Amino acid sequence: MVAAVALFAAASCNKELPRENLPTVGETVVYTASTDGADTKAVLNETTKKSEWVENDAITVHDGEKGWTFTTAKAGANVDFSNSEGFGEYRPVLAVYPAGTYTVDVNDKTVNAYIPTYQPARKGTYNEGAALAVAYSENDQFAFKNAHALIKFTIKGTNIKAVEFYGNNSEPITGNMLVSLNEDNTIKSIVGQDTVFEEGKSEQWTGKGTWMKIYSEDEANGWCFEDGATYYAAVAPAYFTKGVSINYILADDTKIDGAKKAKNRVNLTSSTILNIG
């Protein structure tokens, strides 16, 4: 079972849950116009708590009318992104990680993006398609800002194949998100948006995502999480006014609702890690 942390023993208190700082993704990213790349993937360096780019990482650069895929051939915190699709000269743009299809208003510095409700687990890091970061630029450099927070937990046992996380007051933490930047290009707000039903697409439900589910893809381990391993899930920042709860889904599909609950308020801001034990 997921190891309980002291915060759950003190559920009646109004203290903040323990959090860790999550530095911005790729603090300075230079983008050029040369070559194109492949898949999108990123990693969290658990030693430095820093999100780093990996080889063939991809971002979308959008001028408000069209989006271009830029990729990097190197790994690290500060890397060059490039494109060979005729992007043209530098101009006001918004860049989004991960690469994808987005609705962007460059003048208002807003992006309609998505944080998935269902996230395949990655031991020691987060899923490459779940974490959301945004940057504005009028030149050749990006200073990415995280539009997400991370939920951290460590598994104790060998019979858990999924963990669900949610706020006790149904705060929107996944699904469609409207991300807005301030004048200084820091995060202004991240607001959950109603999801529209579209046949044939994964978002076949309406309403904001008020929970998230992270599940194991470890076939060698019976499709369960690894005993003693740490995992991270990405969620939108939220003020959990009535605390948070988690459910377990066991190997035999038994679901334990409210396996852990904390009633104390939590103000989970972007670029922080909430350690639920």
Side-chain angles (χ1 to χ4, degrees), residues 133-150:
V134 179
Y136 174 84
S137 180
E138 297 180 1
N139 49 44
D140 63 349
Q141 297 191 20
F142 287 125
F144 273 84
K145 303 297 180 183
N146 289 316
H148 70 278
L150 293 178

Side-chain angles (χ1 to χ4, degrees), residues 35-270:
T35 59
D36 201 5
D39 295 335
T40 298
K41 186 166 60 177
V43 295
L44 176 69
N45 185 323
E46 283 204 282
T47 301
T48 63
K49 293 295 184 295
K50 189 178 187 66
S51 292
E52 298 178 344
W53 307 107
V54 297
E55 185 179 351
N56 293 326
D57 234 342
I59 61 175
T60 292
V61 178
H62 209 298
D63 63 2
E65 296 183 2
K66 181 181 177 180
W68 286 262
T69 299
F70 280 69
T71 58
T72 179
K74 296 182 179 180
N78 303 290
V79 298
D80 290 351
F81 278 89
S82 58
N83 171 277
S84 60
E85 299 174 346
F87 174 76
E89 63 184 9
Y90 295 119
R91 54 194 180 278
V93 292
L94 279 167
V96 188
Y97 174 85
T101 302
Y102 300 99
T103 301
V104 173
D105 189 320
V106 175
N107 293 327
D108 289 342
K109 295 184 179 180
T110 60
V111 177
N112 279 286
Y114 187 79
I115 296 178
T117 300
Y118 299 90
Q119 299 178 23
R122 300 288 184 266
K123 185 173 70 171
T125 185
Y126 50 78
N127 184 271
E128 58 272 18
L132 181 63
V134 179
Y136 174 84
S137 180
E138 297 180 1
N139 49 44
D140 63 349
Q141 297 191 20
F142 287 125
F144 273 84
K145 303 297 180 183
N146 289 316
H148 70 278
L150 293 178
I151 306 300
K152 175 183 178 181
F153 62 93
T154 302
I155 290 293
K156 185 177 182 180
T158 59
N159 68 330
I160 294 181
K161 69 177 184 180
V163 172
E164 295 175 344
F165 175 90
Y166 57 95
N168 295 330
N169 200 31
S170 300
E171 291 82 359
I173 57 173
T174 58
N176 289 344
M177 296 287 160
L178 180 63
V179 181
S180 302
L181 299 182
N182 290 306
E183 284 297 318
D184 63 356
N185 302 324
T186 57
I187 297 292
K188 179 180 181 180
S189 63
I190 303 158
V191 181
Q193 305 292 296
D194 288 331
T195 303
V196 178
F197 180 92
E198 292 187 54
E199 189 67 42
K201 292 191 175 182
S202 59
E203 306 93 80
Q204 292 184 2
W205 41 270
T206 58
K208 304 174 182 68
T210 57
W211 60 289
M212 65 76 49
K213 179 177 181 179
I214 181 170
Y215 58 93
S216 172
E217 291 186 312
D218 190 351
E219 182 178 6
N221 200 36
W223 303 103
C224 290
F225 293 115
E226 182 179 324
D227 182 27
T230 297
Y231 300 88
Y232 296 83
V235 298
Y239 181 37
F240 299 103
T241 57
K242 296 182 179 180
V244 300
S245 296
I246 61 175
N247 305 330
Y248 303 149
I249 293 88
L250 305 183
D252 62 0
D253 291 325
T254 298
K255 184 175 180 179
I256 304 177
D257 288 317
K260 296 292 179 183
K261 288 188 175 182
K263 296 180 181 179
N264 42 309
R265 296 187 295 269
V266 186
N267 187 17
L268 184 58
T269 58
S270 59

